């Protein structure tokens, strides 16, 4: 049976048809395509700002730190848009910290997480004076303590707890089960935290948790948060101070005709239920729910293969948007020209030489022809950041729209950009 294109991602964003043309805010996607070519990512400032604001405001009057997960969209113009609104940044590499700083996120709003931070990265974060380093293991705590002593600094840290609660839209993005590589058990977390609190070169601030991504049900989140509350209370009962809990990211977005994920207000109400009357500062690390609906990938139809079920070959491929290939993810597909006629079933693929380069099969779509422009919806998170140059396809440009204006915020790579990084060894020169 053909899959209907439900366009659920229309929920709340600033991509809609006006006068027959699909627009991002007040700009026609077709005009952007004419100016910068295809494929290209296009982001909406108004959507980014709205999602950040809705999330933050849902917790009012509680003052929470909303640290945008840079892994979802690392473009410095996107980060700067959010930073201007007051967002912090959740980072997992030195590169992400540098991007956040470059975008104007103050160091004291940057969280540094990840299971494999190198010594150089830890030292960089300590020097930068980030808000918090989320420590994921005993070994990491020892390394960080050594670095802090050597540098005579006192970094603020949180211990990442693995609450043994799984959740998330796909097994590859679930992080909270006991056997996952993330964090330490609740018992170990207490011991590690006490160890850190005793160290005069570590500033033990809190505990952190993140159980998965694209979560559409509050129940596992609530279970994990209850574990966090209990741990904070246990520490305090032992006379150990704890000021902060970092509750991670993970709230899902609507990609398809599944039930809508919980609204930020429901999420915040659950958080209040769990943490009411506990005097503690909360932070969050949302990525997808802020950026996903704020971006699309535009592409053109290169060719139509005439089959019983026609195959649409686009100029975008799995290297540009890999989510369908690795998670079987669904992205709505909309033609830039508002469709009117009947829909029929298509397969939509990219030009890369493997069958995995298939965006969707048997999807009901309006009639498509060579040269038509289409948009992959809900592609603002985990889109451009996961791109590669497979098949020697240069990275595509990113465009930021604000009202009637748009700007190329990352230019298209040229093949020359890639070649500039490579060289022939002496024994092959002149051959
Ligand atoms: N905090 C931590 C510690 C995380 O590991 C993640 C995501 C987040 C926050 C942000 O989660 P979000 O709010 O975006 O759900 N590439 C996958 C998603 C991987 C998510 C990994 N961690 C995808 O395209 O679906």
């Amino acid at each position: 049976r053909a899959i209907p294109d439900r366009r659920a991602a229309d929920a709340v964003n600033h991509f809609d048809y006006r006068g027959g043309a699909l627009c991002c805010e007040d700009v026609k996607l077709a005009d952007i395509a004419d100016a910068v070519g295809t494929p290209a990512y296009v982001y909406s400032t108004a959507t980014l700002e709205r999602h950040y604001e809705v999330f933050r405001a849902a917790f009012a009057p509680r003052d929470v730190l909303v640290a945008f997960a840079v892994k979802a969209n690392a473009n410095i113009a996107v980060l700067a848009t959010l930073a201007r609104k007051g967002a912090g940044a959740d980072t997992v590499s030195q590169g992400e910290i540098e991007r956040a700083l470059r975008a104007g996120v103050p160091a004291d709003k940057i969280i540094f997480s990840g299971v494999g931070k190198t010594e150089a990265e830890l030292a960089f974060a300590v020097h930068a004076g980030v808000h918090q380093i989320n420590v994921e293991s005993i070994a990491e705590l020892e390394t960080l303590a050594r670095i802090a002593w050597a540098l005579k600094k006192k970094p603020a840290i949180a211990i990442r707890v693995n609450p043994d609660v799984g959740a998330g839209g796909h097994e590859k993005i679930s992080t909270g089960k006991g056997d996952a590589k993330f964090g330490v058990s609740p018992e170990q977390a207490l011991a590690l935290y006490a160890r850190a609190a005793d160290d005069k070169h570590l500033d033990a601030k809190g505990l952190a948790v993140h159980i998965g991504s694209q979560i559409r049900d509050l129940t596992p989140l609530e279970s994990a948060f209850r574990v966090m509350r209990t741990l904070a209370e246990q520490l305090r009962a032992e006379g150990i101070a704890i000021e902060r809990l970092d509750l991670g990211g993970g709230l899902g977005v609507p990609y398809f005709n599944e039930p809508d994920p919980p609204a930020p207000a429901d999420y915040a109400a659950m958080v209040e239920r769990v943490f009411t009357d506990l005097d503690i500062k909360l932070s969050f690390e949302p990525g997808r729910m802020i950026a996903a609906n704020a971006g699309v990938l535009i592409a053109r139809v290169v060719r139509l293969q005439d089959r019983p079920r026609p195959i649409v070959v686009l100029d975008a491929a799995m290297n540009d948007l890999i989510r369908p290939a690795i998670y079987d993810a669904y992205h709505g597909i909309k033609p830039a020209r508002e469709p009117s006629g009947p829909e029929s079933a298509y397969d939509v693929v990219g030009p890369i030489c493997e069958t995995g380069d298939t965006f969707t099969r048997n999807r009901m779509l309006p009639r498509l022809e060579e040269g038509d422009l289409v948009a992959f919806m809900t592609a603002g998170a985990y889109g451009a950041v996961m791109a590669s140059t497979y098949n020697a396809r240069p990275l595509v440009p990113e465009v930021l729209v604000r009202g009637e204006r748009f700007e190329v915020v990352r230019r298209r790579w040229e093949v020359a950009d890639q070649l500039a990084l490579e060289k022939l060894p002496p024994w092959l020169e002149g051959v």
Side-chain angles (χ1 to χ4, degrees):
R1 200 165 62 84
I3 307 168
D5 191 273
R6 301 306 283 251
R7 301 177 190 137
D10 292 359
V12 183
N13 61 31
H14 293 79
F15 294 91
D16 29 48
Y17 289 106
R18 296 196 197 167
L22 186 57
C23 293
C24 174
E25 302 190 23
D26 302 330
V27 183
K28 290 186 182 122
L29 291 179
D31 289 348
I32 296 176
D34 287 346
V36 310
T38 54
Y41 278 95
V42 180
Y43 307 129
S44 152
T45 298
T47 314
L48 288 166
E49 291 182 342
R50 180 176 192 286
H51 288 339
Y52 168 76
E53 208 35 61
V54 166
F55 190 83
R56 191 200 56 76
F59 295 93
R62 193 189 272 274
D63 180 26
V64 299
L65 171 63
V66 181
F68 173 65
V70 174
K71 63 171 76 70
N73 190 317
N75 187 287
I76 58 168
V78 168
L79 301 180
T81 299
L82 296 168
R84 299 291 183 282
K85 287 271 150 193
D90 167 50
T91 61
V92 290
S93 66
Q94 179 168 336
E96 288 190 354
I97 299 175
E98 291 194 47
R99 284 177 168 277
L101 291 170
R102 171 82 171 71
V105 180
D108 65 6
K109 288 187 182 174
I110 296 178
I111 298 171
F112 187 29
S113 323
V115 289
K117 308 176 196 82
T118 63
E119 291 200 21
E121 287 181 308
L122 287 168
F124 180 86
V126 171
H127 271 301
V130 298
H131 172 74
Q132 180 174 300
I133 299 177
N134 289 354
V135 174
E136 303 244 8
S137 62
I138 302 173
E140 187 188 349
L141 186 70
E142 296 310 331
T143 303
L144 180 57
R146 190 159 39 75
I147 292 169
W149 277 80
L151 297 176
K152 299 191 173 57
K153 300 268 191 194
K154 190 171 181 172
I157 67 140
I159 305 291
R160 167 125 177 224
V161 180
N162 181 327
D164 198 13
V165 178
H170 190 281
E171 64 173 275
K172 290 184 184 164
I173 56 175
S174 172
T175 51
K177 284 300 283 177
D179 58 357
K181 65 179 177 178
F182 303 97
V184 297
S185 70
E187 303 71 45
Q188 278 182 326
L190 291 176
L192 251 65
Y193 191 85
R195 146 83 180 84
D198 255 354
D199 192 318
K200 72 173 177 147
H201 279 287
L202 293 176
D203 188 6
K205 290 278 192 202
L207 299 172
V209 72
H210 171 81
I211 59 170
S213 194
Q214 185 56 11
I215 300 175
R216 286 184 298 257
D217 173 9
L218 292 178
T219 319
L221 288 164
E222 181 160 355
S223 312
F225 294 172
R226 291 208 181 275
V227 172
M228 301 302 280
R229 179 178 176 130
T230 306
L231 291 174
E233 285 174 332
Q234 278 174 300
L235 286 169
R236 285 183 178 169
E238 290 170 31
I240 303 172
I242 171 164
E243 298 172 25
R244 304 176 180 164
L245 291 177
D246 174 354
L247 300 179
L251 205 55
V253 301
Y255 283 100
F256 187 41
N257 59 339
E258 54 212 359
D260 273 359
D266 301 326
Y267 179 71
M270 177 274 281
V271 167
E272 276 321 316
R273 205 159 58 232
V274 177
F275 295 103
T276 181
D277 71 22
L278 184 73
D279 180 24
I280 202 145
K281 189 94 202 287
L282 300 179
S283 61
F284 297 90
E285 304 169 346
R288 192 189 310 267
M289 71 83 47
I290 289 182
N293 273 328
V296 300
L297 172 66
I298 56 175
R300 267 193 208 285
V301 178
V302 174
R303 195 147 298 119
L304 270 164
Q305 291 187 1
D306 190 17
R307 299 275 178 90
R309 186 168 76 228
I311 300 179
V312 180
V313 188
L314 298 177
D315 60 1
M318 66 189 283
N319 72 299
D320 304 307
L321 177 64
I322 203 172
R323 302 193 69 259
I326 63 176
Y327 314 118
D328 292 322
Y330 178 100
H331 286 266
I333 300 172
K334 288 188 182 188
R337 215 176 324 107
E338 187 162 23
S340 49
E343 299 193 332
S344 51
Y346 289 96
D347 288 358
V348 181
V349 305
I352 283 181
C353 307
E354 54 181 284
T355 306
D357 187 21
T358 297
F359 291 111
T360 186
R361 280 184 212 283
N362 208 6
R363 175 89 60 96
M364 293 301 288
L365 290 170
R367 187 184 161 76
L368 288 170
E369 287 171 22
E370 254 181 55
D372 278 355
L373 183 67
V374 298
F376 283 96
M377 308 307 292
T378 332
Y382 307 111
V385 282
M386 295 181 76
S388 76
T389 56
Y390 188 34
N391 276 207
R393 293 169 51 85
L395 296 183
V396 306
E398 295 174 273
V399 173
L400 183 64
V401 173
R402 182 168 181 267
E404 295 176 345
R405 300 173 63 185
F406 70 90
E407 193 71 33
V408 177
V409 291
R410 182 181 74 190
R411 73 164 171 82
R412 185 182 298 283
W413 279 34
E414 305 297 337
V415 174
D417 292 315
Q418 283 174 279
L419 288 175
L421 299 173
E422 297 172 34
K423 64 177 257 194
L424 290 174
W427 61 89
L428 289 177
E429 270 166 27
V431 173

